[in-house]
Amino acid sequence: IAAFLKKENIPYARRSTNEVPATPVNVLLADTTGEMFKYMSKSDIVIMGKSLAGHDEGHNLIEPALLGKAIVTGNILRNFRYILDVLVQADALLTVAPNEKLSDKLDILLMDREYEKQLGAKALETIKSSIRINYLKEVFKLSEGEAGFLTTCTVGEGLLKVGQESAIIQITPTQKEFE
């Protein structure tokens, strides 16, 4: 990443060098451990870089999502595959495939700051919903299929569970309930 920034003549500071730049920079290359949450909280866009460098492992996407940040990451994460899938299905982040350019994805966000904010808000809501579903899954001993179904329910839809048996339900209020 440092080589790319230098080649593109983008002013940056590399955290691991502990050098204080003489003038403001456009990018903080946060290449240290244990400080990411602090940096993410100050960012508008969080790029999960390890997954973009030919690795199929990356960093935890939950942290920037819980901060409501727009997230850009590689499209394959072996170690956080479930979280990536949840966020992708909700259109709550941008992924970069091996044949795509990171700069194209950043342009989308930088040219439409409202979309950037919406993406971050959607990531936050998606993760919060996922956490609730996982809690329900544990408490009510739901199968993957049952938990997955609950994530797609709209108002009035649900799952009735009695012992080991479950049934899909639809609850429709009568007009009297609105009075």
Side-chain angles (χ1 to χ4, degrees):
I1 294 173
F4 170 80
L5 294 169
K6 189 175 280 189
K7 178 180 153 226
E8 295 296 320
N9 203 25
I10 299 171
Y12 74 97
R14 191 171 190 158
R15 176 68 177 106
S16 61
T17 64
N18 287 323
E19 292 177 27
V20 178
T23 59
V25 297
N26 294 342
V27 175
L28 170 63
L29 180 53
D31 57 350
T32 56
T33 303
E35 300 177 296
M36 289 297 145
F37 198 77
K38 175 176 67 175
Y39 294 135
M40 287 181 207
S41 71
K42 303 292 184 195
S43 302
D44 295 323
I45 300 168
V46 175
I47 304 165
M48 302 304 278
K50 185 176 181 182
S51 63
L52 300 171
H55 299 280
D56 62 356
E57 293 184 355
H59 299 285
N60 188 344
L61 300 172
I62 294 173
E63 291 173 339
L66 285 175
L67 290 167
K69 303 299 179 177
I71 305 166
V72 182
T73 188
N75 67 335
I76 299 171
L77 287 179
R78 192 168 34 120
N79 53 342
F80 292 103
R81 141 178 93 249
Y82 172 76
I83 298 300
L84 177 63
D85 290 346
V86 166
L87 291 168
V88 165
Q89 288 173 10
D91 290 323
L93 54 63
L94 296 180
T95 59
V96 182
N99 61 338
E100 296 177 317
K101 290 183 178 178
L102 172 61
S103 60
D104 291 342
K105 302 296 179 162
L106 293 175
D107 284 346
I108 292 168
L109 297 173
L110 295 172
M111 296 299 185
D112 187 348
R113 300 313 290 245
E114 187 57 35
Y115 174 65
E116 170 201 313
K117 287 180 178 67
Q118 290 171 357
L119 197 65
K122 193 181 284 189
L124 172 60
E125 187 52 41
T126 300
I127 289 299
K128 284 170 49 178
S129 295
S130 180
I131 290 168
R132 285 188 290 254
I133 289 297
N134 285 334
Y135 174 75
L136 291 174
K137 182 178 168 191
E138 183 179 319
V139 169
F140 294 104
K141 312 253 184 295
L142 301 175
S143 68
E144 287 293 328
E146 290 168 332
F149 169 75
L150 288 176
T151 66
T152 66
C153 288
T154 58
V155 174
E157 296 176 335
L159 194 63
L160 175 63
K161 190 153 176 83
V162 179
Q164 297 297 340
E165 301 296 317
S166 60
I168 295 171
I169 60 171
Q170 173 73 47
I171 300 171
T172 306
T174 64
Q175 186 60 37
K176 185 147 183 87
E177 292 177 88
F178 289 105
E179 297 171 358

